[in-house]
DNA sequence: TTAAATGCAAACTATTTGCACGTAA
DNA sequence: TTACGTGCAAATAGTTTGCATTTAA
């Protein structure tokens, strides 16, 4: 059912999270969410599809899109707009920033407290701030 | 040739900028760049196309894509990844941040110095920072 | 049992490409 | 004059949709 080696306990925990959001547990949805939880490379739909179908076919592309849509709707995953033309997904929903390597394109998560509180001097009048995200660019450790 | 009312002087200035980058001046390229310089709504290709062809047809969609590609290559315009599925363009190349209204989707520029210097506590070892951009989310003045 | 999810294929949208023709320098 | 740009149409890539079939609860 799944090419990840996860304990039964963790499997239950993941399912519990999904149930708590009112989602029906299907093998496809579980595979997508579990896969996303176990990687930190902000994969595209294509990449998720390849990994979960690696050993034996489990989900179609349409189902991956569908699973991601509901998972996003209930707030278990979010999409990241860091790449041209493709949407990438992330199951890490606690606030954090992103570092993009301009050499190899790698995307690294940056803990929220790696940056201090953002000093906002002046927001245009009438604007209400609800959140922010910083995108850092440069060279990663491997480049 | 163009539905914008710009002075001959400004026209020359724009052409000079393009020539300085080694670009051949064609009506299509000029229209695209001049249009982009005169708006601040980070338009999509579709929006640019509509505006420059508003009075009389001047450019095809392929030419707008082509113009944007060269303009981007020489650094006169940049793309902004703030929207799902579409690439938006910006002729404002000096560093600035973006505010996205989560209600109406409007994208507003935020001057660089509206925010203070970003306090970077700890960057992972081996990472070299070259620049950053902040994306703020909330409600704009009209919502 | 049954409302909801899946899979497939077709539709759609954004973008790219190939090539004959036109034009800026 | 000629290398380069344009326009059109066809190709590609990412994503969405319609519908018959299957399945989780």
């Amino acid at each position: 059912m799944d090419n990840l080696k996860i304990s039964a306990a963790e499997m239950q925990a993941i399912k519990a999270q999904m149930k708590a959001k009112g989602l029906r547990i299907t093998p496809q949805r579980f595979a997508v969410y579990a896969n996303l939880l176990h990687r930190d490379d902000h994969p595209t739909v294509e990449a998720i599809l390849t990994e979960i179908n690696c050993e034996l076919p489990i989900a179609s592309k349409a189902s991956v899109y569908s699973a991601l849509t509901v998972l996003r709707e209930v707030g278990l995953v979010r999409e990241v707009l860091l790449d041209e033309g493709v949407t990438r997904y992330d199951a890490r929903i606690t606030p954090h920033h992103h570092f993009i390597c301009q050499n190899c394109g790698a995307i690294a998560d940056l803990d929220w407290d790696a940056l201090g509180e953002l000093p906002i001097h002046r927001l245009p009048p009438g604007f209400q701030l609800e959140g922010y995200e910083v995108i850092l660019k440069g060279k990663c450790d491997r480049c």
Side-chain angles (χ1 to χ4, degrees), chain A residues 1 20 33 40 48 53 63-64 93 103 141:
Chain A
M1 171 188 188
Y33 187 43
D40 60 349
I48 297 169
N53 285 343
S63 299
V64 173
I93 48 171
N103 193 236
D141 49 350

Side-chain angles (χ1 to χ4, degrees), chain A residues 97-98 110-118 132-136:
Chain A
H97 305 294
H98 289 112
L110 231 79
D111 278 331
W112 182 255
D113 57 2
L115 311 183
E117 193 66 21
L118 190 68
Y132 65 86
E133 183 195 355
V134 183
I135 294 172
L136 301 127

Side-chain angles (χ1 to χ4, degrees), chain A residues 21-96:
Chain A
K21 296 289 187 178
L23 296 187
R24 227 155 123 167
I25 317 286
T26 67
Q28 292 77 5
R29 281 182 188 174
F30 179 82
V32 168
Y33 187 43
N35 180 260
L36 214 37
L37 278 171
H38 280 267
R39 50 197 298 184
D40 60 349
D41 60 344
H42 311 79
T44 61
V45 167
E46 206 57 47
I48 297 169
L49 192 65
T50 303
E51 265 207 22
I52 66 180
N53 285 343
C54 175
E55 296 193 350
L56 74 163
I58 171 170
S60 72
K61 192 179 281 198
S63 299
V64 173
Y65 273 108
S66 154
L68 287 168
T69 300
V70 276
L71 286 165
R72 176 154 49 89
E73 278 168 3
V74 301
L76 287 181
V77 313
R78 65 171 182 179
E79 69 225 320
V80 289
L81 300 176
L82 300 172
D83 210 350
E84 279 177 73
V86 248
T87 306
R88 293 177 168 275
Y89 292 86
D90 196 349
R92 196 176 159 197
I93 48 171
T94 53
H96 62 272

